[in-house]
Amino acid sequence: MTINLLQDKGATLDRQRFTWRDMVGKPISKLDDDAFTRVRVVLMNGIESDSIRTKQTALRMNLPLREKLAQLMRAEQHQETCINWLLGPDHSPLETTIAYEQVAIEVTASIAQLEQDDYQSQSYRYALLEDFDHLYRYAALLDRLEGKDANNITQGYTDIIPGRPTLVHHRAPEHELTEPYARDAALATKLHALTLVSGEYQTHDYYMHFGPTFADPVARQLYAEIASVESQHITHYGCMLNPEESLLEKLLICEANEVWNYAACAQQESNPRLKALWERFLDYELGHLQLARQLFQDVERRDPAEVLGDGILPPGIRYESQREYVRRVLADEVSLRKNGTRFVPESEEGASSLEYREAINAEGSPSGMVSATYHWEAGTELVRQDPHQRLAG
């Protein structure tokens, strides 16, 4: 499949129609579908959600473009509904949480390897080790509350071991900032950053929504703690976007990002029904991109090639286990900390982060409490011997 962002037209908006039954189709299976099918579903829901957020921001700031933006948002809303409803009731909220963290780990690791800018790649690796630890803490909670093995969700693709401890993720705001990519950065660099900030936004919102629904006090605190870190990650990745890009420039990048992501999903999907869906939405997004290109030309009087380059899609996310790469990053960089926009040794961490962390952890860290006696093993309590039996033996 060869796609050119400057030439391909895709389906026009008047051909992008849905019925309610079309939007609410058969969900994927928690156990029968490959875990990376769910990874794609979760990521693309986040991509669609951020696309709507981008257009809603643009709509509030530009009167002449409101009708076109509203039309685009309606199509994106229906696409997001179709994707979001693919996660069925066989997933508990906590199991979906495990899935969200697997998405963060595998997608971030793939993008970190694709990224050619050293600083940007370092920024991805830094946050990667924090999401890696979040998976471990939520796996402990899943064992505690539901007696389930998180590996049933991750299907063995992702290690369930501690990363950079969550209790040290809490940083003062001034040390959460990162440097933005250059205005003339490669298109791939722009797509990488936008993809990850989209995913983090979705994860944060999910935790804020479901965290209060738990009765267990440690669960409620853990969701609050990790939601706070996800908010930091939104800042971390959001600062990597260039603030000097115009409104329509950002819209153009947003639409190109959706094309880039759907193309990778369509190419690698193992579920035939979802493969057809990704191909359909790829065609729709090419139509959205065509409209964005036209607006960019008509309103800003600029050539879309200034942003999209030669129109050739950069290499896409690889939906496969990144275990070995993550292990190397964990071994080499787990002790890194932040000072301003720099990544520094632990001894050089910003002083205000130490003060902030001491205050917020003054009564303990929920992530430490939930995993205090936890060590992942296949099968969880089903393979554990009763302590009285051990004594009797």
Side-chain angles (χ1 to χ4, degrees), residues 10 18 58 97 127 145 155 164 179 181-182 188 201-202 210 225 235 239 249 251 257 277 302-303 320 331 333:
F18 294 84
T97 297
L145 296 188
Q155 296 180 7
R164 182 180 299 116
E179 297 291 342
Y181 56 67
Y201 234 121
Q202 173 184 232
F210 279 101
E225 180 181 17
T235 300
C239 285
E249 195 170 347
L251 179 64
N257 190 51
L277 183 70
R302 295 169 61 190
D303 186 346
E320 59 193 20
E333 302 184 14

Side-chain angles (χ1 to χ4, degrees), residues 21-29 33 37 41 82-83 85-87 269-280:
R21 179 172 291 184
D22 195 22
M23 280 186 271
V24 184
K26 180 182 177 182
I28 63 172
S29 168
D33 278 298
T37 288
V41 167
C82 188
I83 295 169
W85 262 247
L86 288 170
L87 290 178
E269 182 56 64
S270 58
N271 181 317
R273 180 170 60 92
L274 266 67
K275 183 179 180 67
L277 183 70
W278 303 140
E279 290 172 345
R280 174 187 175 187

Side-chain angles (χ1 to χ4, degrees), residues 192-376:
H192 297 162
L194 185 55
T195 292
L196 289 179
V197 76
S198 300
E200 290 292 344
Y201 234 121
Q202 173 184 232
T203 302
H204 166 267
D205 290 353
Y206 185 85
Y207 295 171
M208 290 294 288
H209 178 80
F210 279 101
T213 67
F214 286 87
D216 183 88
V218 175
R220 293 170 63 84
Q221 290 182 47
L222 181 66
Y223 271 85
E225 180 181 17
I226 295 183
S228 180
V229 179
E230 302 298 356
S231 177
Q232 294 178 197
H233 286 180
I234 294 171
T235 300
H236 178 92
Y237 289 135
C239 285
M240 295 168 73
L241 308 180
N242 192 296
E244 297 178 356
E245 293 166 342
S246 70
L247 193 67
L248 285 176
E249 195 170 347
K250 289 191 178 296
L251 179 64
L252 195 58
I253 295 169
C254 174
E255 297 300 346
N257 190 51
E258 291 182 272
V259 171
W260 179 67
N261 274 287
Y262 276 120
C265 289
Q267 184 179 30
Q268 299 170 70
E269 182 56 64
S270 58
N271 181 317
R273 180 170 60 92
L274 266 67
K275 183 179 180 67
L277 183 70
W278 303 140
E279 290 172 345
R280 174 187 175 187
F281 287 175
L282 172 59
D283 192 38
Y284 286 7
E285 291 301 340
L286 285 168
H288 300 174
L289 178 62
Q290 180 188 14
L291 177 56
R293 289 199 313 259
Q294 193 63 52
L295 290 173
F296 190 72
Q297 289 175 308
D298 294 346
V299 176
E300 297 203 3
R301 304 296 181 185
R302 295 169 61 190
D303 186 346
E306 293 179 31
V307 179
L308 303 178
D310 58 10
I312 297 174
L313 276 183
I317 294 166
R318 296 303 306 168
Y319 289 100
E320 59 193 20
S321 176
Q322 306 295 332
R323 175 183 289 107
E324 295 306 319
Y325 176 76
V326 174
R327 286 176 178 176
R328 292 197 301 272
V329 175
L330 182 63
D332 295 341
E333 302 184 14
V334 70
S335 63
L336 286 182
R337 300 291 187 268
K338 287 290 300 300
N339 191 324
T341 60
R342 297 181 298 117
F343 301 94
V344 299
E346 188 174 358
S347 60
E348 298 176 22
E349 184 173 16
S352 56
S353 285
L354 300 178
E355 296 170 1
Y356 170 73
R357 189 176 304 139
E358 182 179 2
I360 204 164
N361 289 332
E363 296 180 334
S365 168
S367 58
M369 288 185 277
V370 76
S371 57
T373 60
Y374 175 73
H375 178 74
W376 179 82

